[in-house]
Amino acid sequence: MFRKISLILLMLTFAISEADNGYNLWLQYVQIEDVNVRQAYIEKLNQIVYLNDNETINVALDELNIGLSGMLGLSDVSALVNSEKINNESGLMLATYSTLSDGLKREFKSDFNKINEEGFIIKSVIINNVSQIIITGKTEVAVLYGTFRFLKLLQSHQSLNNLNIIDAPKIQKRVLNHWDNLDRTVERGYSGFSIWDWHRLPDYLDFRYTDYARANASVGINGTVLNNVNANANILTPQYLEKVAALAKVFRPYGIKVYLTARFSAPMEIGGLKTSDPLDEDVISWWKQKVKEVYQFIPDFGGFLVKANSEGQPGPQNYGRNHVDGANMLAEALNPFGGIVMWRAFVYSEHDTTDRAKQAYSEFVPFDGKFKDNVLIQVKNGAIDFQPREPFHPMFGAMPKTPLMMEFQITQEYLGQSTHTVFLPKFYEEVLKTDTYREGKGSTVAKVIDGSLNNQKLTGIAGVSNVGTDINWTGNVMLQANWYGYGRLAWNPDLKAENIANEWIRMTFSNDIAVVKTIEDILLMSHEAVVNYMTPFGLHHIMATGHHYGPGPWVANLSRPEWNPVYYHKADANGIGFDRTEKGSGATDQYAKEVSKEFSNLNSCPEEYLLWFHHLSWEYKLKSGVTLWDGLALKYQEGVNQVKQMVDYWKSLEGKIDQQRFKEVEMLLNIQLKEAKWWRDACLLYFQQFSKKQLPQGVEKSTKSLEEFKNMTFPFAPGN
Ligand code: GCV
C-alpha cells in the first residue's frame, strides 16, 4: 500500500507567543520564522516512508507529524509506503536494518558496525537518482531515537544536506528515579505532586504519561523507577501491579522500561511471612513467586531498585546478613526474566562514629566481585549527599569487578529547590570528567560509569527526577534543562555542558543568536553562583533542617550527629572545615594515591574543595593572597553578584521570548537574588562569631541580625 500525503504549506504568520506555559518542554516545534529555511526543509521532505509496521515506528511517525506540521506549517504529515514503493521524490525513510534493501545494507555495513542495539544512523543517500534521508538502526527504538535527533536538526535550524550522523548510547540503563509516594506526595519534589495518578489507574490514562514518555525518549532515557526508594510494599500487590502494567504499556513503544523499588520487608508486610531474612527458604521462594507475578503483569519489567539499611529502611542487616546476601537473593529471582537489581550504596549509620563520608566505601568495597552479574551498585555522585558541589565519590573506580552506576539528583533538594535556576549538567560534567586514577591517568568517572574502564557488561546511570504535576513539569521552566541535560549525559557522558545548554535553548526558547547567547550565559554561570552563595570552598551540608531550604549552619541539636551542619563545617575560633586528611578522618585515603595526595596537600588541593578536606585557620592565605575569612566573605558576595548578573541578563530578553515564560523566570530569579543575599548574610553573620573579623571591602552588610535568620521557619516547605 502506498499513501503519499502532499505537504500543504499553511500560511501561518509567525509571532512570539504571548502565553507559553512551558508544557511542551524542549519539544516546542514552533513554526520556523524564515520562509526560506522552511522551504528548504519542505523540499527535502516530499514523502515519508517507513518500512516497519510497529508501534514504536508509529510513535516516531506521530512525532514527525507533530514536529513537521508545527515547524514547517504543514498539514497531515503521516504517510506510509512499502520499501519497493519509494516514489521518485526526495523524502525521509524510517527503517530498521532488517528491512533495508540489500544494496542499502551493503552501503551501511560499516556504520552498523559502529552502533549498538539503540544506536542510529541518519544519512543522506541517492536512490533512483533522488536524494533520500534514511533514519535507521538495529531496532525500532533506535529509529525512534534517530527520529528525535532528526527533528532536533530542524528545531535548531541545521542543514539537511549530506547528513551523516552516527550515534549510539554509551550507557545501557539510563533511568529516572521518582521519589514518588503512593499518596502522590513526592519526597524532595518541588514541582507539585506525583504525575502518577494511582487512584485512577489503570483505567484512566492521563495524557501526561504519553508526553512524559515522548520527552524521555527524545533524550534517550530508557527506564523509569516509578516509586520512592523509601518504599511502600503495596506497590508489589496485584492491585498496584495492574496500575504499573498500564503505565508500562504507555511507555513501551517509547523504549522505556518500568522498574519498581522493592521494600526489603515486603515478605512480612504483604506476604504474611515471619521474617524477611534473605537466606530464609520461604523468603527466597516468596520473592521468586512475586517476581514471576510481576512479569505476568509486565513482561518487560526492568527490575528492582533497593535502598536497604539506610536511613531506617529495612535490609539484610536486620537479620545479620549483608548487602551481597540481599542483592543476590533478589538478583536470582529476577535473573530468569532478564531483570536487574540496582542496589544503592547510600548508607551511613548513627552507630558508626567514623566520618560519614567514609562509610559507604568501607561497607561496599570489600564486597567487590561478590555480586551477581545482574546487580548494579548505585552510587551517589559524592560521598555525602547531593551537595551543591562535592568531590567525586571514592567508590568510583574502587570496585573494578562490580558494575557501579551513577546516581545524580536532578531535583534540587540542596540547591534552592525549584525556585533557583541552577544548570546541573555543568556540575554533572565536572564529576564525570574527573580522573579517579584507579587504572592510571585518564580513568575518569565517565569511564567507570560507561563500563569502559573495567570492561563491565552491565552499565547504568540514574537521575532523581524533578518532574511533577506543575503545568511546566519542573516548577521552573529553566530547570527543564536539567531533565534534558541529564538525559543527554546519560546517553553520552562525554558531552559538553555548553553544547547541551545551546541545543536545549534552541529547542525550548529560540534560535535567535542574542537569546541563545544570553540564556547560555545565565545557565553556564548558574552552578558556580549557587556554590558561591551557599557553600563556597567546599563547605557542605549547612542547609536548614529537614526541608534543606535556606541556610542553617547553626543547627546543632539533631539526634544524629551527622545530621547537624556543625558536624560538617566545624567552625570555631581556630578556623573552619572538616579535616579529612590522614591527620583527620583519613577519608582522603579512600581515593587512588594520586588523588589522595592531591586532596591532602594544601598546595594541590583545588580551592573549591578546600574546606571539604581541611580545617584551616581564618588567617590561612588563599591563592589570591587574601585570608580565608576575607576570601569566604568575598565568595558569598560573588555569588550574590552573579545572581544579579543573571537577573540583568534575563531582563534583556523581554519581548524576545514569550511573555509568560519571561515573567515566570523573572520572578523566580528575583527570589533567587533575595535568597542568595539571605544565604550570604546568614552564613557570614554566623561564621563571624568565630572569626571575629570585619567584612572585607566590597561585601555588603546584612540588614538583619543572626537571631532573625535563626528564627525563620518554613513549616510547610514542600518535598519534606
Ligand atoms: C529518599 C537524602 C534525602 C532523603 C532521601 C535520601 C536517599 O537523605 O534527604 O529524602 O530519601 O537522601 O537518597 O535515600
Side-chain angles (χ1 to χ4, degrees), residues 179 187-188 229-230 307 311 344 346 380 385 413:
W179 286 357
E187 182 154 351
R188 310 309 178 185
V229 287
N230 291 331
K307 171 174 176 178
E311 299 185 329
R344 294 176 90 226
F346 178 66
K380 288 189 181 182
D385 192 11
E413 175 179 355

Side-chain angles (χ1 to χ4, degrees), residues 470-483:
D470 280 2
I471 189 73
N472 63 21
W473 302 85
T474 54
N476 172 349
V477 290
M478 296 295 266
L479 308 183
Q480 296 173 352
N482 294 337
W483 179 9

Side-chain angles (χ1 to χ4, degrees), residues 682-715:
C683 291
L684 289 178
L685 282 174
Y686 172 74
F687 292 133
Q688 201 170 27
Q689 301 177 106
F690 306 104
S691 78
K692 306 248 187 280
K693 291 182 187 305
Q694 294 301 308
L695 292 178
Q697 223 186 3
V699 180
E700 289 155 5
K701 280 211 174 68
S702 176
T703 52
K704 285 200 174 83
S705 70
L706 180 58
E707 278 320 296
E708 283 174 89
F709 288 123
K710 284 186 178 176
N711 288 335
M712 286 168 75
T713 55
F714 303 90

Side-chain angles (χ1 to χ4, degrees), residues 22-27 29 63 144-145 148 176 195 207-222 251 254 256 467 473-474 480 483-485 487-488 507:
Y23 180 81
N24 289 333
L25 297 161
W26 49 91
L27 302 175
Y29 303 136
E63 199 64 32
L144 175 64
Y145 291 154
F148 276 111
L176 283 180
I195 58 173
F207 60 85
R208 267 195 183 235
Y209 303 152
T210 305
D211 290 328
Y212 167 84
R214 288 174 55 222
N216 282 328
S218 75
V219 286
I221 290 171
N222 66 2
F251 301 157
Y254 294 88
I256 298 166
V467 160
W473 302 85
T474 54
Q480 296 173 352
W483 179 9
Y484 178 87
R488 297 289 289 129
M507 297 164 83

